[in-house]
Structure formats: C-alpha cells, structure tokens
Amino acid sequence: MANADVLLHPVRMRILQALFDTDPMTTGQLRERLPDIPPATMYRHVAVLVDAGVLEVVDEKRVRGTVERSYRVSQEQGRIDPAARAAMTRDDHRRAFTTFAASLMGDFDRYLTHDDVDPHRDGVVYRQAVVWLTDEEFAAMVAEIEHAVVSRVGNTRDGGRIRRVVSLVVVPDEPTT
C-alpha cells in the first residue's frame, strides 16, 4: 500500500480522482481534465504516483520523438489500508480530512462551473444524519454502504450511465470508549 503522504496530497488526490474508473489517460489528457494544474506540477506528481506504485503505465507510444505513457490507478495501491490509517497521528488525520474536504469542495465547484448544471436534475445529494448504533450495527452499515458502491464500480459507460463521484464521511459525535 502507498502511504498516506503520497495519496493525500491535494494535487495527487485530484489526479487519482480523474483516473478512477476511467480508461487509461496520458498526462496530456489529465492536463485537459485538470487545466488549472501547471504542466510541470502535473508531471512531477504523476512521477511521484508512479514511483510509489499508485499509478501503473499501461501503454507507451512514440510521439514526435518522446514517449507518451498512458496511466491507470493500481487497485492494490490506490487506497490507504486500515493498518496505515491506524498508524496515522491526529495531525495526520486532520491533514488528510482537510485534503479530502477541500477535494470535495473542488469537485463540487468544478461541477457548478458548467453552464447547464441543474443539481436537482443531476441527482446531487449531500446530507447528514445522526444514527445511534452499536459497534456491530455500525460495522454492518459501513459494509452495506461499501458493498452498494463497490458492486457498481465495474459498470461500463454504456446505457446512458453518467460518471458520478460517491464520497463517504463518518464521524462519531464523540470518541468511542
């Protein structure tokens, strides 16, 4: 597994989100999808992700004297495993959550910049609820949510499907004892 420092950098997180569940992309295609990231910054962060094994090269071809590579996310390396999360300090978690929240805000802002947005029509949902659960009930709920999402990750683009980003945050109201 890649460590949290590699995955939770704001630019690298955006690169990973752009590549999640898509066809492999070249750095040029990533730059088209993320035009606000300067080219040198994009290349540097792609290199960090490749070196960490988070991105894998799936194709190489010669283009005007250079090699153009296509990348995809390595499913084994593109997440922070439970042991790594358990080893994170409070400051690590604070930084990780800040990066995650900023990424969500950036995604939503990019969505809203399109001329034809209609959050109701497009199925935008953001909601918070309080539930009282035992540890066992909580584990079952998280497993149900993860199953509902993961079981659909392999869907293809056909049939009028629209790419949607699903994010989940669970925070206890107070520490568990």
Side-chain angles (χ1 to χ4, degrees), residues 43-93:
Y43 286 107
R44 183 174 64 252
H45 288 290
V46 166
V48 169
L49 291 166
V50 169
D51 289 346
V54 176
L55 293 184
E56 50 193 27
V57 177
V58 294
D59 189 34
E60 292 183 334
K61 61 182 173 184
R62 303 233 14 109
V63 177
R64 293 185 295 269
T66 64
V67 176
E68 181 181 69
R69 293 176 179 89
S70 295
Y71 303 95
R72 73 173 169 215
V73 177
S74 167
Q75 295 305 312
E76 300 80 37
Q77 297 294 324
R79 63 185 180 86
I80 301 170
D81 68 19
R85 267 197 319 271
M88 291 169 61
T89 66
R90 285 183 185 183
D91 284 341
D92 291 339
H93 281 284

Side-chain angles (χ1 to χ4, degrees), residues 19-162:
L19 284 165
F20 281 146
D21 203 34
T22 65
D23 294 331
M25 290 184 182
T26 65
T27 307
Q29 291 167 321
L30 282 167
R31 288 184 50 228
E32 288 173 14
R33 183 163 288 178
L34 305 168
D36 58 311
I37 299 175
T41 301
M42 176 73 71
Y43 286 107
R44 183 174 64 252
H45 288 290
V46 166
V48 169
L49 291 166
V50 169
D51 289 346
V54 176
L55 293 184
E56 50 193 27
V57 177
V58 294
D59 189 34
E60 292 183 334
K61 61 182 173 184
R62 303 233 14 109
V63 177
R64 293 185 295 269
T66 64
V67 176
E68 181 181 69
R69 293 176 179 89
S70 295
Y71 303 95
R72 73 173 169 215
V73 177
S74 167
Q75 295 305 312
E76 300 80 37
Q77 297 294 324
R79 63 185 180 86
I80 301 170
D81 68 19
R85 267 197 319 271
M88 291 169 61
T89 66
R90 285 183 185 183
D91 284 341
D92 291 339
H93 281 284
R94 187 173 286 115
R95 186 173 52 86
F97 187 80
T98 300
T99 300
F100 179 79
S103 176
L104 285 176
M105 290 171 36
D107 290 343
F108 194 64
D109 189 55
R110 278 185 293 284
Y111 161 75
L112 291 174
T113 63
H114 297 279
D115 292 334
D116 61 344
V117 301
D118 179 341
H120 177 71
R121 176 200 67 215
D122 296 337
V124 172
V125 176
Y126 43 93
R127 151 164 213 229
Q128 204 169 29
V130 174
V131 293
W132 290 86
L133 304 168
T134 65
D135 288 344
E136 294 79 20
E137 292 168 330
F138 173 70
M141 182 188 75
V142 170
E144 290 167 17
I145 293 168
E146 286 182 345
H147 175 74
V149 173
V150 172
S151 67
R152 291 164 174 83
V153 166
N155 286 354
T156 58
R157 296 177 188 215
D158 59 351
R161 289 186 174 129
I162 297 167

